[in-house]
Amino acid sequence: MSLGCGLGVPFVAAEPRVRAAVLGLGGALASAEAAARITVPVRFLLQWDDERVPRAQGLALFDALASAGKTLHANPGRHGELPAFEADSSLRFFQRHLG
């Protein structure tokens, strides 16, 4: 997430061994083209009041993902205020998709 999203989107798009991804707290300015090549299940996290990544950019990146199995998890709060339950839920996402 965050900087990891900026690095993760091109990585997930290029690496065929990746079977699922949790991304978020990032925007579409530099990543939309790579996001369009991502088809694995994606859990995307967005902070509604993010002061670093404008909401429209985060939503644009989510829209750009080609995955049919993508989910958007939006929470109120600023960039660094991701609720702790999202980490637990992300682990369950990986358990579900990676066994």
Side-chain angles (χ1 to χ4, degrees), residues 2-27:
S2 196
L3 178 57
C5 184
L7 300 171
V9 168
F11 175 78
V12 173
E15 179 52 66
R17 293 175 294 177
V18 174
R19 297 184 358 233
V22 174
L23 301 167
L25 303 181

Side-chain angles (χ1 to χ4, degrees), residues 42-98:
V42 174
R43 177 182 172 85
F44 193 86
L45 305 172
L46 182 128
Q47 286 298 98
W48 205 249
D49 307 302
D50 195 322
E51 75 282 6
R52 294 185 186 169
V53 179
R55 184 182 313 148
Q57 288 182 20
L59 292 171
L61 181 55
F62 176 76
D63 284 340
L65 293 165
S67 174
K70 63 183 179 180
T71 58
L72 174 66
H73 296 255
N75 293 282
R78 296 168 57 85
H79 190 79
E81 298 175 343
L82 191 68
F85 68 80
E86 287 291 5
D88 294 336
S89 187
S90 292
L91 290 175
R92 287 191 303 277
F93 168 84
F94 281 129
Q95 288 172 335
R96 206 169 45 252
H97 290 286
L98 303 179

